[in-house]
Amino acid sequence: MNISSPPPERLVHVPLGERAYDILIGPGLIGRAGGEITARLKGRRAAIVTDAHVAPIYLEALMDSLQTDGIEAVSLTLPAGEKTKSLEHLATVTDMVLSARIERNDAVIALGGGVIGDLAGFAAGIVRRGVRFVQIPTSLLAQVDSSVGGKTGINTRHGKNLLGVFHQPDLVLADTSALDTLSEREFRAGYAEVAKYGLIDKPDFFSWLEKNWREVFAGGAARAEAIAVSCQAKSDVVVEDERETGRRALLNLGHTFGHALEAATEYDSRRLVHGEGVAIGMVLAHQFSARLNLASPDEAQRVEAHLKTVGLPTSMNEIPGALPPTEKLLEAIAQDKKVKSGKLTFILTHGIGQAFVADDVPSSEVLGFLEEKRPK
Amino acid sequence: MNISSPPPERLVHVPLGERAYDILIGPGLIGRAGGEITARLKGRRAAIVTDAHVAPIYLEALMDSLQTDGIEAVSLTLPAGEKTKSLEHLATVTDMVLSARIERNDAVIALGGGVIGDLAGFAAGIVRRGVRFVQIPTSLLAQVDSSVGGKTGINTRHGKNLLGVFHQPDLVLADTSALDTLSEREFRAGYAEVAKYGLIDKPDFFSWLEKNWREVFAGGAARAEAIAVSCQAKSDVVVEDERETGRRALLNLGHTFGHALEAATEYDSRRLVHGEGVAIGMVLAHQFSARLNLASPDEAQRVEAHLKTVGLPTSMNEIPGALPPTEKLLEAIAQDKKVKSGKLTFILTHGIGQAFVADDVPSSEVLGFLEEKRPK
């Protein structure tokens, strides 16, 4: 028994029956991934999928750890960025996984951010109709969002995440030390999703963030705490509604507007990254709710103030470059997959921590609101 | 209420909880598909996937029926044949489904044999992480095999069905009149799977087939009966083991050898079609079981005799053209996805109706057996 390795700081168990799994949250997890994996998975082969940003920093440590624990691993390093979530790269990944003779009890390991997790998870979900999947998210966004819930996917010319499967991971290793190498901008973008959990149904957590956000950014116990609360919050929703037929839609708070803005900026990360789109989207969702007399304008202002304080964009005016006409923005919203029989579905709110699903929002209201809020 | 349409001759309900669905078996179902679909699905859009053999015969009738019942449908006709189960065609299908703005409650409809069902089902399983799926199998093989169980998939250069998902249909319409346009050879190939259900665990059904096979081939009540018993048999196994972790492997009786022979003949349907591979494979499985002293050689002879009587091939000698070296056949077996940690898994038998999963078969035994049975 190896008594020298410290216990992980936090563990969130996602109780999905036979698809239940653990999320370990703490520093140094990449360096002991092998032991954590062999303790839980039967197979002794692994195919690692990573990207050109992450590989130089963490791939060697991960492969060393796997080798030490007797796991035979191969790796594939893909270009970093949203464009990698394509059918072409999915074909490359599945071919590599099959070449490595990964069987059902072996694992595909995603080492990277959300793009790598979504792509590798999709591959793990379809090779042999499902092999084991281990997530090692290296961005804050991936640790608090895509590491829980089993959504995988790629983009198509029709939109984002339009092809994918639900495939739960068997283990998530959220190495908090990996976040030290993120840029400020990346960390902030992930923080938008952390704040989202407070805005959905945890007003006390949002208040805590208002007071403690500096410590979360600095690292240490507050960071691990914020990640654990976020994973637990997402887990609670996912367990209740694994296939997104109801309550899980709440997790899309800020995302309907956000996805439309990402599409409008052609997924150009120089202009807007996902978390920034979500930040603007959450402010818009609160403002739109106020406009519809569902919530007080004060709540929208409080959300805007906090996100602005941490350095996130909070309005469309802050997006560099021109946006397409308002009708085009509405079209992007309508093509978003949260559409039912042509009606627009939005996550709206009665105030901080009181989000709800509204599935019959008139598009004329949306159009008028966007017209008012967009850069003139 | 439309009282003029006759009730379906048979209904098999597959009780998979929230994924439960009905299989209707009877003549003329394609012509009233619209009514059956609107009675069960909420969406009013459909994307039909079919092939160049089936489209000229049934597509118009299907589209008319959908239109009559208010379903807006588009169709995509692909080349017929196993080669269509490719990643390239999957891309074409998903693009067409997304262009048609199929949402989660709308349907992808597979009109065709197993190839179309597997491909369209895979697309239905991954577009928006799963949209509704209706199967209209037009071959006997598809009606008794792929219409039950939710397996979908495509082939890769590494082998058959190596990419796919489990995605249950929401409705299966097994139109028995569609089988009248099958060639004798195609019908026989499907019959191999019908016989398989007897061989797995229904010795009485196998005896019934020995007596009544001519009526099954002729059509009418015996045919519907054989299809219904087959669908019920497969449903019983699938319900017990939806994700193929145990008992469901029994359905692979004859398939490990069969798949290897299909690979060895490069999926060239002029040399061997799937059902013929399964027929030879089932005979081999019984002979191999006898060789391992697990079953009496008389049982193997009885299986061989019946399959020969209906006109199916029962030995490797009947496959036109040269087969690769025995080592290559073994390799094809080892790459088959029913491999666990490098050991060979076979479905063997103690006799007719007494199949079981053997997951530790020494490859040397297989090699010796194949060497003996292969054409000299």
Side-chain angles (χ1 to χ4, degrees):
Chain A
M1 192 194 286
N2 180 355
I3 55 162
S4 69
S5 59
E9 294 185 17
R10 304 292 298 253
L11 185 152
V12 173
H13 180 71
V14 185
L16 284 168
E18 59 181 22
R19 290 181 298 283
Y21 62 94
D22 289 337
I23 304 172
L24 305 186
I25 302 157
L29 282 165
I30 291 174
R32 50 196 175 86
E36 299 295 351
I37 293 171
T38 51
R40 289 170 178 83
L41 270 68
K42 277 187 271 179
R44 288 297 173 263
R45 287 184 190 195
I48 303 167
V49 183
T50 186
D51 74 30
H53 282 174
V54 172
I57 323 180
Y58 302 112
L59 183 56
E60 195 181 344
L62 174 59
M63 294 204 63
D64 284 352
S65 171
L66 296 178
Q67 192 173 28
T68 302
D69 284 282
I71 298 174
E72 194 184 318
V74 293
S75 74
L76 175 69
T77 301
L78 296 170
E82 186 76 23
K83 286 202 165 59
T84 297
K85 279 176 63 171
S86 69
L87 198 56
E88 291 68 32
H89 282 105
L90 180 71
T92 307
V93 174
T94 54
D95 192 63
M96 168 267 200
V97 172
L98 287 167
S99 292
R101 294 201 162 208
I102 297 298
E103 296 176 8
R104 288 199 185 163
N105 290 323
D106 298 322
V108 169
I109 301 178
L111 174 69
V115 167
I116 291 299
D118 285 0
L119 177 69
F122 191 6
I126 64 174
V127 167
R128 298 172 194 277
R129 300 196 188 93
V131 299
R132 302 286 80 77
F133 180 43
V134 174
Q135 289 237 43
I136 307 184
T138 57
S139 71
L140 178 57
L141 177 61
Q143 291 189 357
V144 300
D145 182 23
S146 44
S147 66
V148 194
K151 279 193 183 180
T152 73
I154 58 175
N155 305 325
T156 78
R157 68 186 179 97
H158 300 279
K160 213 170 135 74
N161 294 320
L162 287 175
L163 299 180
V165 293
F166 287 94
H167 189 62
Q168 302 296 341
D170 296 86
L171 174 65
V172 178
L173 301 174
D175 188 334
T176 51
S177 6
L179 307 186
D180 294 336
T181 55
L182 292 182
S183 70
E184 277 261 326
R185 187 181 175 205
E186 276 179 292
F187 192 89
R188 274 198 299 262
Y191 183 84
E193 297 276 356
V194 173
K196 185 188 75 176
Y197 296 110
L199 295 178
I200 292 174
D201 62 358
K202 296 194 163 33
D204 294 349
F205 180 52
F206 189 76
S207 302
W208 183 87
L209 289 172
E210 287 179 312
K211 289 188 200 78
N212 297 285
W213 68 271
R214 281 180 194 80
E215 286 71 23
V216 173
F217 275 64
R223 179 186 285 177
E225 170 72 10
I227 295 171
V229 170
S230 299
C231 290
Q232 187 65 57
K234 183 154 184 186
S235 169
D236 291 347
V237 174
V238 167
V239 165
E240 210 178 293
D241 180 17
E242 190 180 354
R243 309 284 299 196
E244 194 172 22
T245 51
R247 187 174 150 74
R248 183 162 173 174
L250 290 177
L251 297 172
N252 289 319
L253 177 63
H255 282 61
T256 304
F257 286 121
H259 283 165
L261 293 174
E262 282 183 277
T265 51
E266 292 166 319
Y267 303 103
D268 180 346
S269 62
R270 288 166 303 184
R271 297 178 66 192
L272 193 74
V273 295
H274 177 69
E276 292 168 346
V278 169
I280 299 173
M282 291 192 300
V283 173
L284 289 174
H286 282 77
Q287 291 172 337
F288 190 41
S289 298
R291 181 188 162 104
L292 296 171
N293 292 316
L294 295 164
S296 150
D298 296 353
E299 303 278 277
Q301 274 164 27
R302 193 176 144 200
V303 174
E304 186 179 359
H306 178 57
L307 297 180
K308 203 185 283 269
T309 300
V310 308
L312 280 163
T314 56
S315 85
M316 288 187 266
N317 292 300
E318 294 170 68
I319 302 171
L323 291 178
T326 310
E327 287 74 16
K328 286 279 172 197
L329 289 176
L330 191 68
E331 247 177 57
I333 286 172
Q335 175 58 30
D336 190 274
K337 66 183 173 306
K338 292 171 287 300
V339 179
K340 276 195 183 171
S341 307
K343 289 167 195 164
L344 296 183
T345 298
F346 274 85
I347 313 305
L348 298 178
T349 188
H350 294 303
I352 287 167
Q354 299 174 66
F356 66 96
V357 183
D359 58 9
D360 200 1
V361 179
S363 58
S364 57
E365 285 283 352
V366 184
L367 197 70
F369 173 70
L370 286 174
E371 201 53 66
E372 179 191 311
K373 291 292 177 185
R374 63 167 297 141
K376 297 302 175 289
Chain B
M1 193 192 284
N2 182 355
I3 56 163
S4 67
S5 60
E9 293 184 19
R10 305 291 299 253
L11 185 152
V12 173
H13 180 72
V14 185
L16 283 169
E18 60 181 19
R19 289 181 300 284
Y21 63 93
D22 289 335
I23 304 172
L24 305 186
I25 302 157
L29 282 165
I30 291 174
R32 50 194 175 88
E36 300 295 350
I37 292 171
T38 51
R40 289 170 178 84
L41 270 68
K42 277 187 270 177
R44 288 297 172 262
R45 287 184 190 198
I48 303 167
V49 183
T50 187
D51 74 29
H53 282 174
V54 173
I57 323 179
Y58 302 113
L59 183 56
E60 195 182 343
L62 175 59
M63 295 203 63
D64 284 351
S65 171
L66 296 177
Q67 193 174 26
T68 302
D69 284 283
I71 298 174
E72 193 184 319
V74 293
S75 74
L76 175 71
T77 301
L78 297 170
E82 187 74 25
K83 286 201 164 62
T84 297
K85 279 176 64 170
S86 70
L87 198 55
E88 290 68 31
H89 282 106
L90 181 71
T92 307
V93 174
T94 54
D95 191 62
M96 168 268 202
V97 173
L98 286 167
S99 291
R101 294 200 162 208
I102 297 298
E103 296 175 8
R104 289 200 184 161
N105 290 322
D106 297 322
V108 170
I109 300 177
L111 174 69
V115 166
I116 291 299
D118 285 0
L119 177 69
F122 191 6
I126 64 174
V127 167
R128 299 174 194 273
R129 300 196 189 92
V131 299
R132 303 285 79 79
F133 179 43
V134 175
Q135 290 237 44
I136 306 184
T138 56
S139 72
L140 178 55
L141 177 62
Q143 291 189 358
V144 300
D145 183 23
S146 44
S147 67
V148 195
K151 279 193 183 181
T152 73
I154 58 175
N155 306 324
T156 78
R157 66 186 181 97
H158 300 279
K160 215 169 132 73
N161 294 321
L162 287 175
L163 299 181
V165 293
F166 286 94
H167 189 62
Q168 302 296 340
D170 296 87
L171 173 65
V172 177
L173 301 175
D175 188 333
T176 51
S177 4
L179 307 185
D180 295 335
T181 55
L182 292 181
S183 70
E184 278 261 325
R185 187 181 175 204
E186 277 178 291
F187 192 89
R188 276 198 298 263
Y191 183 85
E193 298 274 356
V194 174
K196 186 187 76 175
Y197 296 109
L199 296 176
I200 291 174
D201 62 358
K202 296 196 164 29
D204 293 349
F205 180 52
F206 189 76
S207 303
W208 182 86
L209 288 172
E210 287 179 312
K211 288 189 201 79
N212 298 286
W213 68 271
R214 280 179 194 82
E215 286 72 22
V216 174
F217 275 64
R223 179 186 286 177
E225 170 74 10
I227 295 170
V229 170
S230 298
C231 289
Q232 187 66 56
K234 182 154 184 187
S235 169
D236 291 346
V237 174
V238 167
V239 166
E240 209 179 295
D241 180 19
E242 188 180 354
R243 308 283 301 194
E244 194 170 25
T245 52
R247 188 173 150 73
R248 182 162 175 173
L250 290 176
L251 296 172
N252 289 320
L253 177 63
H255 282 60
T256 304
F257 286 121
H259 283 164
L261 293 173
E262 282 184 278
T265 51
E266 293 166 318
Y267 302 102
D268 180 346
S269 62
R270 289 165 302 184
R271 297 178 66 191
L272 192 75
V273 295
H274 177 70
E276 291 167 348
V278 169
I280 299 173
M282 291 193 299
V283 173
L284 289 173
H286 281 77
Q287 290 171 338
F288 190 41
S289 299
R291 181 188 162 105
L292 296 171
N293 292 316
L294 296 164
S296 151
D298 295 354
E299 303 278 279
Q301 275 165 25
R302 194 175 144 202
V303 174
E304 186 179 0
H306 178 57
L307 297 179
K308 204 186 284 268
T309 300
V310 308
L312 280 163
T314 56
S315 86
M316 288 186 267
N317 292 302
E318 293 169 69
I319 301 171
L323 291 178
T326 310
E327 287 75 16
K328 287 279 171 196
L329 288 176
L330 191 67
E331 246 176 58
I333 287 172
Q335 176 59 32
D336 190 273
K337 67 186 172 305
K338 293 169 286 299
V339 179
K340 275 197 183 170
S341 307
K343 290 167 193 165
L344 295 183
T345 299
F346 273 86
I347 313 306
L348 298 178
T349 188
H350 294 303
I352 286 165
Q354 301 173 65
F356 66 96
V357 183
D359 57 9
D360 200 0
V361 179
S363 58
S364 57
E365 285 284 353
V366 183
L367 197 70
F369 173 70
L370 286 174
E371 201 52 69
E372 182 190 311
K373 291 294 177 185
R374 61 167 296 140
K376 298 298 175 295

